[in-house]
């Protein structure tokens, strides 16, 4: 097995600035690394990450979330397994697909996107990260839950601190303390609203969660609060980075932007390729339940495994010319890209495959369509080169654009 010395350390500034060259070295010559600082085994090849996520032989658990996220959320479906997980997932999944998504939530998505674009459509300039991407998905979730969007600044602060806690690989005590604060602030905010919604249900997702029952199992106030915290974080931070990512990728490839503008049915392919090329979540952990052999060596039972989605999604043995953004690539299937049959790893695979994948797709399709309509000649601000930020989750730090405003 390789040691971490041979490749840039995942906690180094060099890696944070550009992880892709390090990912290549890992895949080629160090596919299994023992990483002392995070006390975890790092895997980077597509076949290994896919195998860990699919977990056909029940060799891995999500017990890592006991320390990685439970201290801020409380216990959520991410940590559950077996029947308990299946029952909990069945309680919440219907809200994120099919008729609930189409009939109840699409209007929220349309309206929230439009409201944000209205604030800059006449100005000729915007920062698509701060003016749009960081606001849109979290506003949609707040609306779905029937929460007051006026609390946006707090939601944003909370989900950012939750994700920072999750990705606190170096164990920064300030990040840990901010996470603990978020846990108590969120509980103080949410529990009275949950009690009120139980007493006086409405047509929102929160009321649905309060009433949901599968096989005689329903959710406690504490369960619902934890799930709402997970939704804000899992649905806010990730889709925020996905929307900024798709625009950055298209703006840097003007001929592909023109093709997508011309044929809007290409948006799902552009989104799928963005998820492969610049995934919002670059790494996900697991815990080994037994000894497991993977490329490059053996992982003992009871170890933490860090799966590098960002590396696996650029594996040259899986994708042709993997470092090229290509909306038209033939080795990525758009029709399955938002289901557990996906042939990229951005939503993970297997039992914990992202519940919100179709919601994210709906948000991206509607958002990109509306943005392209509002900004016919959108381009990056002069001389601006997008810079990605983040190690655990990653996306453009800012995306200033210019366009000729439409006249009414
Ligand atoms: C592009 C956007 C998104 C990305 C890249 C993404 C990524 C992921 C990943 C990698 C996982 C697997 C975690 C694991 O296996 O440990 C996951 C799970 C999950 N996601 Fe997403 N997500 C996105 C959007 C959303 C949205 C919009 C929501 C809902 C509002 C959501 C809710 C969830 C939930 C509840 C889980 C846990 C599922 C389970 O444990 O069974 N996600 N997501």
């Amino acid at each position: 097995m390789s040691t971490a010395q041979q490749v840039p350390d995942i906690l180094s500034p060099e890696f944070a600035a550009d992880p892709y060259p390090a990912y290549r070295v890992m895949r080629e010559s160090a596919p299994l690394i023992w990483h002392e600082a995070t006390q975890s085994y790092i895997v980077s090849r597509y076949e290994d990450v896919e195998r860990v996520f699919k977990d056909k032989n029940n060799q891995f658990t999500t017990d890592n979330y006991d320390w990685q996220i439970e201290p801020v959320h409380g216990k959520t479906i991410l940590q559950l397994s077996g029947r308990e997980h299946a029952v909990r997932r069945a309680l919440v999944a219907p809200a994120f697909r099919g008729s609930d998504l189409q009939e109840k939530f699409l209007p929220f998505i349309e309206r929230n996107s439009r409201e944000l674009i209205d604030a800059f459509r006449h100005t000729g300039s915007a920062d698509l990260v701060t003016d749009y991407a960081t606001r849109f998905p979290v506003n949609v979730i707040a609306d779905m839950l029937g929460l007051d969007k006026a609390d946006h600044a707090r939601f944003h602060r909370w989900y950012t601190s939750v994700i920072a806690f999750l990705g606190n690989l170096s164990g920064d005590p300030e990040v840990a303390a901010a996470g603990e604060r978020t846990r108590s602030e969120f509980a103080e905010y949410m529990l009275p609203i949950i009690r009120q919604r139980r007493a006086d249900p409405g047509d929102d997702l929160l009321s649905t969660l309060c009433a949901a029952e599968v096989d005689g199992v329903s959710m406690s106030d504490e369960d619902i609060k934890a799930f709402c915290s997970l939704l804000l974080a899992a649905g806010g931070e990730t889709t925020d980075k996905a929307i900024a990512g798709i625009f950055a990728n298209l703006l840097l490839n003007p001929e592909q932007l023109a093709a997508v503008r011309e044929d809007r049915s290409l948006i799902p392919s552009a989104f799928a390729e963005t998820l492969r090329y610049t995934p919002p979540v670059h790494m996900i952990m697991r815990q080994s339940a037994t000894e497991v052999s993977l490329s490059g060596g053996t992982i003992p039972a009871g170890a933490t495994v860090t799966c590098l989605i960002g590396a696996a999604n650029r594996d040259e043995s899986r994708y042709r010319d993997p470092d090229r953004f290509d909306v038209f690539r033939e080795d990525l299937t758009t029709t399955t890209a938002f289901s557990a049959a996906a042939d990229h790893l951005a939503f993970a695979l297997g039992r914990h495959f992202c519940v919100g994948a179709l919601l994210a797709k709906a948000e991206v399709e509607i958002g990109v369509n509306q943005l392209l309509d509002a900004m016919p000649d959108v381009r990056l601000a002069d001389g601006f080169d997008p810079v990605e930020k983040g190690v655990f989750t990653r996306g453009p730090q800012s995306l200033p654009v210019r366009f000729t405003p439409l006249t009414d």
Side-chain angles (χ1 to χ4, degrees):
M1 193 198 318
S2 312
T3 56
Q5 279 86 49
Q6 292 159 277
V7 285
D9 192 282
I10 61 166
L11 300 181
S12 67
E14 187 189 352
F15 181 85
D18 182 5
Y20 298 105
Y23 287 158
R24 176 181 288 275
V25 177
M26 289 182 197
R27 282 189 312 263
E28 280 171 5
S29 56
L32 182 64
I33 298 176
W34 166 249
H35 188 250
E36 192 66 35
T38 55
Q39 292 285 298
S40 76
Y41 288 84
I42 301 178
V43 293
S44 49
R45 288 186 179 164
Y46 190 97
E47 60 170 330
D48 291 329
V49 175
E50 178 187 38
R51 190 175 142 200
V52 177
F53 285 160
K54 283 194 171 164
D55 192 26
K56 288 262 160 56
N57 301 319
N58 290 321
Q59 292 173 310
F60 296 95
T61 72
T62 50
D63 289 351
N64 51 294
Y65 288 118
D66 296 358
W67 48 269
Q68 224 185 341
I69 202 79
E70 187 173 338
V72 262
H73 281 328
K75 209 175 180 93
T76 70
I77 58 167
L78 272 175
Q79 289 158 271
L80 302 180
S81 59
R83 186 166 161 67
E84 207 186 352
H85 174 256
V87 168
R88 276 299 151 85
R89 200 168 150 122
L91 281 179
V92 297
F96 296 99
R97 58 166 196 247
S99 60
D100 273 14
L101 178 59
Q102 290 299 326
E103 285 155 29
K104 274 190 171 159
F105 300 129
L106 281 194
F108 289 154
I109 300 175
E110 302 250 0
R111 194 184 59 231
N112 278 294
S113 174
R114 199 168 304 283
E115 276 172 11
L116 291 170
I117 297 173
D118 282 348
F120 60 75
R121 70 170 75 241
H122 298 292
T123 65
S125 70
D127 182 332
L128 292 182
V129 171
T130 49
D131 295 335
Y132 188 83
T134 57
R135 295 170 171 271
F136 172 43
V138 73
N139 283 358
V140 170
I141 295 166
D143 253 359
M144 286 173 73
L145 290 168
L147 303 177
D148 188 349
K149 277 185 302 176
D151 293 321
H152 168 268
R154 276 202 278 179
F155 296 148
H156 188 258
R157 181 160 50 81
W158 286 336
Y159 83 65
T160 308
S161 98
V162 169
I163 296 288
F165 191 94
L166 173 74
N168 190 12
L169 299 173
S170 61
D172 183 334
E174 274 179 34
V175 172
E180 303 285 350
R181 271 201 306 281
T182 293
R183 180 191 176 111
S184 59
E185 282 177 29
F186 191 70
E188 209 172 294
Y189 173 86
M190 215 49 223
L191 289 171
I193 299 178
I194 294 169
R195 283 194 286 272
Q196 177 270 327
R197 221 52 74 84
R198 279 202 198 279
D200 184 15
D203 191 27
D204 50 80
L205 176 59
L206 188 52
S207 302
T208 309
L209 293 174
C210 290
E213 211 178 280
V214 170
D215 287 359
V217 178
S218 55
M219 290 167 89
S220 68
D221 289 6
E222 195 57 36
D223 289 338
I224 294 176
K225 180 219 77 183
F227 186 63
C228 292
S229 177
L230 172 63
L231 284 186
L232 287 176
E237 170 103 357
T238 53
T239 317
D240 141 358
K241 295 197 158 32
I243 292 178
I246 192 172
F247 259 89
N249 291 333
L250 289 172
L251 288 162
L252 290 169
N253 292 277
E255 72 301 343
Q256 297 189 48
L257 174 61
V260 171
R261 176 185 292 290
E262 185 67 24
D263 177 2
R264 303 297 176 87
S265 71
L266 288 172
I267 295 174
S269 307
F271 182 31
E273 174 64 346
T274 294
L275 290 170
R276 182 198 70 82
Y277 182 71
T278 48
V281 181
H282 268 235
M283 49 187 84
I284 283 287
M285 292 179 170
R286 288 291 186 261
Q287 222 51 45
S288 56
T290 57
E291 187 180 275
V292 192
S293 294
L294 293 166
S295 302
T298 302
I299 298 173
T304 301
V305 184
T306 300
C307 300
L308 295 183
I309 294 173
N313 270 358
R314 292 201 185 197
D315 191 328
E316 38 289 282
S317 67
R318 179 63 192 72
Y319 303 102
R320 214 169 143 254
D321 202 0
D323 291 325
R324 187 179 130 71
F325 176 79
D326 181 4
V327 169
F328 300 101
R329 73 169 47 249
E330 284 171 357
D331 46 15
L332 180 69
T333 320
T334 304
T335 45
T336 53
F338 311 97
S339 75
D343 49 14
H344 65 82
L345 302 168
F347 290 126
L349 293 171
R351 296 184 287 283
H352 293 276
F353 181 84
C354 179
V355 167
L358 287 175
L359 172 63
K361 176 176 179 256
E363 290 178 338
V364 169
E365 273 189 285
I366 290 171
V368 171
N369 258 311
Q370 289 189 4
L371 285 166
L372 290 177
D373 286 344
M375 307 184 296
D377 57 351
V378 64
R379 59 206 178 268
L380 283 168
D382 279 351
F384 184 81
D385 201 9
V387 175
E388 285 187 359
K389 193 169 172 239
V391 170
F392 202 96
T393 58
R394 188 169 177 88
Q397 191 168 23
S398 72
L399 208 54
V401 294
R402 302 286 178 267
F403 55 95
T404 311
L406 290 170
T407 46
D408 300 318

